[in-house]
Amino acid sequence: MPAELPEPGSGATLTMTEYAIEVTAGELTTGSYVVRVDNAGAQPHFVGIVKVRDGLTEEQLTTALDEEMQSAMTGTPPAYSDFNPDEETDDVAFSGTQSTGTSQWIQLMDVQAGTYVLICFFPDIKDGAPHAFHGMYEIVEIAG
Ligand SMILES: [Cu+2]
């Protein structure tokens, strides 16, 4: 690869670390645009951008993740007490796994106003649990 490649334009930058996904430049908006995704962490990460039910709170999301963790440990299907990710989500984009220190650019198409979750499920290098179980998610409201 040539050293001096032009950087693609992007509407927002997401930065992944242990264990967080933050909007570090620009902002997530409605419409179609490119998002830059940086892995500034020590482990591989990815980001899923998922539309969820409007107004979903962090507490509701962590409850569902706890229920998934219980399910993974017991081998029984999750019994969701409130927020059900199987029925109340709509995948928008997925970055694919990125190595430490890499960037990639992903295209978002026709993003609608609403509540979104940025989340990583890459298995942790220490305990094998998906990073989301370590708190690697962020709830973002996209205004209309
Ligand atoms: Cu991760």
Side-chain angles (χ1 to χ4, degrees):
M1 293 281 280
E4 297 288 324
L5 285 173
E7 178 176 327
S10 55
T13 299
L14 306 180
T15 301
M16 306 182 293
T17 55
E18 287 77 36
Y19 297 97
I21 303 169
E22 292 175 292
V23 181
T24 51
E27 63 178 326
L28 296 174
T29 63
T30 57
S32 299
Y33 53 96
V34 171
V35 170
R36 174 178 168 153
V37 183
D38 291 345
N39 183 358
Q43 297 189 36
H45 294 292
F46 63 75
V47 57
I49 303 176
V50 182
K51 192 172 192 306
V52 295
R53 77 176 185 213
D54 286 347
L56 184 76
T57 65
E58 185 166 327
E59 186 179 354
Q60 291 165 335
L61 177 61
T62 55
T63 297
L65 287 168
D66 286 346
E67 288 161 351
E68 282 186 10
M69 200 180 327
Q70 292 299 323
S71 163
M73 288 191 295
T74 59
T76 55
Y80 295 113
S81 57
D82 181 11
F83 172 60
N84 183 339
D86 295 337
E87 296 175 355
E88 300 176 273
T89 60
D90 193 8
D91 291 350
V92 173
F94 178 74
S95 72
T97 303
Q98 284 179 232
S99 301
T100 298
T102 62
S103 300
Q104 66 176 316
W105 286 261
I106 58 175
Q107 174 74 50
L108 302 189
M109 296 299 293
D110 197 24
V111 174
Q112 305 293 309
T115 305
Y116 289 78
V117 172
L118 314 177
I119 196 160
C120 173
F121 286 102
F122 194 82
D124 193 72
I125 202 162
K126 292 191 198 82
D127 63 12
H131 285 166
F133 293 175
H134 290 285
M136 190 164 179
Y137 52 78
E138 181 75 19
I139 295 175
V140 177
E141 296 290 339
I142 296 182

